Amino acid sequence: MMNIYATTISKREDRTTNEDAVRAEKGLIAVSDGAGGGGIFADKWSKYLLENLPKTPFSKYEQTDSWLDKIWEPYYDTQEAEAKRLGSMVLNKLYDEGSFATLAAAWQTQKNLWRWAAYGDSVVFHYQYDTHKLEHSFTRLADFAQPPYLVSCKDPMKKEGFRAGAFRPTRHSAIFAASDALSHYILMMYCLSCGEERQEEIDAVAQGHSRNAQLVRNAACLAWDAEIFQQRLHKLFDAARNERTFADMMTQLERDGLLGHDDYSLAVAIEENC
């Protein structure tokens, strides 16, 4: 039996809007990261996307594009009315840019089969406790430095940004989804725990000039192996059961120079015996 839960928190500044959204229920986990750096109403768009996820998974870009084509207009009409109330600057921003968000979701379609779809740099993961193997929907660690693909409320998605696949969990598995900064932390930890097998992936970031380079250099100074990664990952899962505990953990990871400053979201489906 799986325990399924999620939490999301904003940056810890006063009066900061959390632009992330999470969804966790039987047979479905999902994260959407509203992009506040462009467009408007990012928090509303991320929540709207997750609220309107279908009950069956996307396996092809065309399915996702068709779903988006069916749901965008009611959202746009609602926000257009709100923008008109708020004034011409807000309205023009909606018309010119719209709203943007990432999407990462996984659906349980059989007892031992979860199908996932992702667009952008929010990530879906599958971790096996017995083999210490981590699978994920992303490309590679260095790609977190690239501008992410974003789901727009008014423009078509790009086929090259869509990814889909399947995980086959066992009774020693966890399926989870996270927003970008937290996903970077998780994948960074895993790459470091793999030693020489993932050293090239680590070096590609550590020797670069992205904002994540220093995070990787900081983490590389610590001791890592498969057991340490598993302990840290399980501690993260436990923290996500309580918003305050999760917030405290994120704050500490930031202070330790291991985690970028952002909103943080995590949705988890984990076997009871893990």
Side-chain angles (χ1 to χ4, degrees):
M1 181 178 176
M2 279 193 157
N3 291 319
I4 301 177
Y5 54 93
T7 191
T8 180
I9 61 169
S10 66
K11 305 177 187 70
R12 261 78 64 225
E13 295 88 37
D14 290 340
R15 300 178 183 177
T16 299
T17 299
N18 185 357
E19 293 167 335
D20 285 4
V22 292
R23 185 171 171 181
E25 59 196 55
K26 184 177 181 181
L28 172 65
I29 60 167
V31 167
S32 179
D33 181 352
I40 198 165
F41 301 133
D43 57 323
K44 295 180 174 63
W45 181 230
S46 62
K47 290 179 176 64
Y48 183 84
L49 287 175
L50 295 198
E51 288 169 356
N52 286 276
L53 280 175
K55 294 182 179 180
T56 55
F58 307 122
S59 57
K60 298 180 181 178
Y61 162 79
E62 290 76 14
Q63 293 173 321
T64 316
D65 188 56
S66 176
W67 164 74
L68 187 62
D69 191 51
K70 292 175 182 176
I71 70 165
W72 73 268
E73 197 164 5
Y75 168 85
Y76 193 87
D77 290 346
T78 299
Q79 302 315 318
E80 183 181 38
E82 175 66 5
K84 287 178 179 177
R85 186 185 68 81
L86 293 172
S88 60
M89 288 184 62
V90 175
L91 184 61
N92 288 336
K93 196 169 183 65
L94 177 66
Y95 287 156
D96 293 342
E97 301 178 37
S99 305
F100 302 102
T102 66
L103 179 64
W107 295 258
Q108 185 177 23
T109 57
Q110 297 177 28
K111 182 179 180 180
N112 296 318
L113 181 64
W114 284 72
R115 296 196 177 276
W116 59 262
Y119 193 83
D121 55 7
S122 295
V123 183
V124 190
F125 298 89
H126 170 218
Y127 181 68
Q128 292 178 281
Y129 277 79
D130 51 350
T131 64
H132 301 287
K133 182 179 179 182
L134 182 73
E135 299 177 289
H136 60 84
S137 63
F138 202 56
T139 46
R140 60 199 302 268
L141 189 64
D143 290 340
F144 282 105
Q146 303 301 317
Y149 288 98
L150 296 170
V151 182
S152 167
C153 73
K154 68 183 190 67
D155 298 316
M157 298 171 67
K158 296 180 179 179
K159 189 172 185 177
E160 60 268 27
F162 176 77
R163 297 173 62 83
F167 298 138
R168 296 186 178 276
T170 68
R171 59 190 181 93
H172 304 289
S173 286
I175 306 290
F176 55 105
S179 50
D180 60 333
L182 188 53
S183 291
H184 180 271
Y185 167 72
I186 293 165
L187 190 53
M188 175 183 71
M189 284 197 303
Y190 181 69
C191 289
L192 286 165
S193 75
C194 292
E196 292 185 3
E197 181 184 340
R198 295 293 182 102
Q199 191 60 47
E200 183 178 345
E201 194 167 350
I202 287 293
D203 290 343
V205 181
Q207 296 171 7
H209 301 285
S210 73
R211 64 178 182 175
N212 293 323
Q214 188 59 53
L215 300 178
V216 172
R217 290 194 289 267
N218 293 342
C221 295
L222 304 175
W224 294 97
D225 60 23
E227 289 296 335
I228 292 173
F229 171 74
Q230 185 172 110
Q231 291 167 10
R232 280 185 171 261
L233 188 62
H234 200 72
K235 184 178 179 181
L236 178 63
F237 293 158
D238 282 347
R241 296 175 187 271
N242 178 275
E243 184 177 312
R244 179 63 182 270
T245 306
F246 185 70
D248 288 345
M249 184 178 184
M250 297 301 99
T251 298
Q252 188 59 55
L253 288 173
E254 270 200 68
R255 288 174 178 167
D256 292 342
L258 302 176
L259 182 67
H261 186 62
D262 207 345
D263 301 332
Y264 305 112
S265 297
L266 184 65
V268 181
I270 186 170
E271 288 288 349
E272 281 188 344
N273 60 339
C274 289

